Each structure stands twice: as structure tokens, then as C-alpha cells.
């Protein structure tokens, strides 16, 4: 699983705030020319799409969501 430890901890907390399950998988996804994308899954089966870019402007993902 290629996910930075700080990102892994934040994803685990967001997907399971009770701390009952750990991140089980982070599968690279296509798309996103400027961002890294992973399909993440916890040991409890919750899934989400994770996108990140450490050098992106602070509001880039909010603007993308609005678009």
C-alpha cells in the first residue's frame, strides 16, 4: 500500500472515527493529472476515493467539488 503514514492516519480517522478498523487497502486509480488518487478501504469495509496534492493551492479541491 503506497500511502504516506500521515495520510494513512488521517484517512483511518475520517473513515472510522471510533478507531475500530484500520486501513486495509489503498489501490492506485487512474485520472488526475496533478493529483495522486487511491481507492481506500478499511478492514470494516468502508470505501472512499482519496485525492491529494501537497503543492496544490488550499482551495483546489473545494473548487473542484463545486465544479
Amino acid at each position: 500500500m503506497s500511502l504516506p503514514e500521515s495520510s494513512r492516519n488521517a484517512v483511518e480517522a475520517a473513515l472510522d472515527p471510533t478507531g475500530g478498523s484500520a486501513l486495509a487497502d489503498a489501490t492506485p486509480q487512474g485520472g488526475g493529472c496533478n493529483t495522486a488518487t487511491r481507492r481506500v478501504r478499511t478492514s470494516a469495509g468502508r470505501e472512499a476515493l482519496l485525492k491529494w496534492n501537497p503543492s496544490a493551492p488550499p482551495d483546489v479541491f473545494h473548487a473542484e467539488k463545486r465544479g
Side-chain angles (χ1 to χ4, degrees), residues 3-53:
L3 199 61
E5 188 66 27
S6 60
S7 296
R8 179 185 178 98
N9 294 339
V11 169
E12 286 177 341
L15 292 179
D16 186 2
T18 65
S21 65
L23 193 60
D25 192 30
T27 307
Q29 301 294 293
C33 59
N34 296 341
T35 61
T37 57
R38 301 287 186 273
R39 179 180 175 191
V40 294
R41 182 178 50 83
T42 69
S43 57
R46 288 199 66 184
E47 293 185 1
L49 178 67
L50 173 66
K51 292 177 70 172
W52 79 93
N53 180 339

